[in-house]
């Protein structure tokens, strides 16, 4: 049985099939990770990690027989993919199967922020409705949804928001054959948008892409939505923009240092914050888990990988 290093906590419905097929070593909970690696470095043939996890090069360099990294998620920004390519290490992820759930989450955050639904819930639960109605909010129809990164998830978000009567535009590395307006300038898209929706990959190329200048352009009637990676947004600049009313609000499912969320951000009443639950449904996570198991099975039996990154 091939031996695997489990880099992050995984759900039982993934751990059980992995343990039935492989010898699994729990790196995350190991009392002495250095000793664990020193003891079995030669035996490790694969790594399993979560979408938000990190597989640092210094760790990978200690595993001379590592041949595959299987990511339980679509985002693989925590994997040094170029290094893996150069060292003959395959990488797989779980694209497509989580697109609809993550897009649903983005659509929910747009609705929650536009209609202040989280505050409305607090209003009722606190008994404030007895003292008067909840304040009016804002409609979605006719508003512009500016999508940063029109990949699979970005397109699914666009279709959902069109169904709410919103207009759609986008920014990305290149213009695409789609019926929506393309903005070559991110700041230009922000200035035109009522909702700026971050749906691009994480990683060095997009780190702090959404900075103070972009937030300034989004403006006092604008809302930032992020269902991609926390690293894409300068969180310090976002907190300042929320506190000063530079933007109207934010709806976030991802954060720079998960699961630690800055108290200053949690104190912003104009922010709706979710604990990175974008793909977090029974239906989707089980299909993702099956992809992880099946990619490993394909690799170790010399067959083509189902969802290769490299
Ligand atoms: C993971 C994620 O799916 O898919 C991703 O890239 O960010 C997450 O939604 C989840 O953490 C399971 O690993």
């Amino acid at each position: 049985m091939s031996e695997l290093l489990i880099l992050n906590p995984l759900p039982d419905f993934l751990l059980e099939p992995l343990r039935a097929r492989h010898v699994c070593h729990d790196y995350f909970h190991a009392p002495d990770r250095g000793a664990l690696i020193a003891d079995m470095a030669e035996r490790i043939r694969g790594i399993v990690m979560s979408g938000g996890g990190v597989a640092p090069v210094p760790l990978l360099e200690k595993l001379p027989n590592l041949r595959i990294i299987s990511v339980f998620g679509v985002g693989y920004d925590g994997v040094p993919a170029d290094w893996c390519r150069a060292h003959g290490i395959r990488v797989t992820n779980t694209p497509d199967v989580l697109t609809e759930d993550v897009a649903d989450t983005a659509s929910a955050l747009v609705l929650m922020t536009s209609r202040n639904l989280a505050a409305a819930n607090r209003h009722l639960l606190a008994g404030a409705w007895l003292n008067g109605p909840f304040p009016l909010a804002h409609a979605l129809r006719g508003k512009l949804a500016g999508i940063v990164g029109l990949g699979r998830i970005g397109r699914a978000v666009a279709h959902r928001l069109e169904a709410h009567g919103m207009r759609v535009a986008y920014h990305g590395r290149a213009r695409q054959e789609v019926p929506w307006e393309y903005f070559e300038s991110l700041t230009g898209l922000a200035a035109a948008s009522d909702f700026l929706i971050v749906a691009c990959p994480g990683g060095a190329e997009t780190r702090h892409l959404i900075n103070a200048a972009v937030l300034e352009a989004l403006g006092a009637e604008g809302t930032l939505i992020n269902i991609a990676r926390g690293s894409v947004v300068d969180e310090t600049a976002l907190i300042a923009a929320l506190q000063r009313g530079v933007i109207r609000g934010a709806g976030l499912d991802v954060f720079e240092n998960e699961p630690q969320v800055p108290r200053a951000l949690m104190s912003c009443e104009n922010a709706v914050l979710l604990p990175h639950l974008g793909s977090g449904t029974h239906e989707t996570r089980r299909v993702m888990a099956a992809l992880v198991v099946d990619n490993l099975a394909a690799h170790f039996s010399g067959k083509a990988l189902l969802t290769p990154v490299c």
Side-chain angles (χ1 to χ4, degrees):
M1 292 172 93
S2 302
E3 300 200 34
L4 306 178
L5 200 62
I6 309 301
L7 227 45
N8 307 103
L10 299 176
D12 288 342
F13 57 78
L14 173 51
L15 279 175
E16 282 162 15
L18 289 175
R19 286 172 176 156
R21 294 164 175 81
H22 308 280
V23 176
C24 294
H25 303 283
D26 184 344
Y27 181 80
F28 186 84
H29 296 107
D32 184 336
R33 293 175 176 176
L36 174 71
I37 295 301
D39 179 33
M40 57 196 59
E42 303 277 332
R43 306 198 318 254
I44 298 297
R45 310 281 296 177
I47 283 177
V48 179
M49 58 188 284
S50 65
V54 177
V57 167
L59 170 61
L60 305 185
E61 287 175 330
K62 292 175 182 165
L63 307 173
N65 296 312
L66 176 67
R67 293 293 175 271
I68 185 167
I69 298 175
S70 187
V71 179
F72 179 53
V74 65
Y76 56 91
D77 46 302
V79 177
D82 292 341
W83 188 91
C84 288
R85 282 187 191 92
H87 290 76
I89 296 170
R90 308 301 304 276
V91 178
T92 66
N93 66 341
T94 63
D96 297 320
V97 296
L98 49 64
T99 298
E100 303 310 320
D101 278 359
V102 177
D104 286 347
T105 304
S107 181
L109 283 169
V110 168
L111 267 171
M112 288 184 78
T113 50
S114 64
R115 300 295 301 274
N116 290 330
L117 299 181
N121 179 246
R122 292 193 297 270
H123 179 85
L124 186 150
L125 295 178
W129 193 15
L130 298 170
N131 304 323
F134 186 71
L136 298 181
H138 296 277
L140 287 181
R141 61 186 174 283
K143 302 291 174 39
L144 184 68
I147 297 176
V148 181
L150 198 70
R152 290 171 285 233
I153 292 173
R155 289 178 183 224
V157 173
H159 289 299
R160 280 160 175 75
L161 297 182
E162 279 193 315
H164 286 298
M166 295 184 77
R167 296 174 293 121
V168 172
Y170 70 103
H171 166 77
R173 280 181 291 204
R175 187 185 302 273
Q176 300 183 42
E177 287 301 312
V178 293
W180 305 306
E181 184 179 0
Y182 174 63
F183 279 73
E184 198 159 348
S185 154
L186 171 56
T187 307
L189 177 70
S193 297
D194 297 292
F195 290 83
L196 191 66
I197 299 153
V198 184
C200 60
E205 280 184 37
T206 60
R207 185 177 184 281
H208 286 193
L209 185 68
I210 309 298
N211 58 24
V214 172
L215 295 169
E216 188 80 30
L218 179 56
E221 295 182 2
T223 300
L224 179 74
I225 303 292
N226 189 4
I227 42 86
R229 280 284 185 269
S231 61
V232 180
V233 177
D234 178 341
E235 209 160 75
T236 302
L238 173 59
I239 292 168
L242 289 166
Q243 290 173 335
R244 297 170 188 157
V246 170
I247 61 172
R248 173 177 288 161
L252 310 172
D253 186 43
V254 288
F255 306 87
E256 282 207 89
N257 185 29
E258 296 174 9
Q260 303 296 330
V261 178
R263 186 150 301 282
L265 182 53
M266 291 200 279
S267 304
C268 292
E269 295 209 351
N270 49 352
V272 173
L273 310 179
L274 300 176
H276 199 158
L277 47 67
S279 63
T281 65
H282 293 286
E283 296 82 359
T284 290
R285 289 289 173 85
R286 274 168 170 66
V287 176
M288 291 166 58
L291 263 179
V292 170
V293 172
D294 293 347
N295 271 305
L296 289 167
H299 170 77
F300 288 116
S301 58
K303 293 177 182 161
L305 298 177
L306 286 76
T307 50
V309 168
C310 62

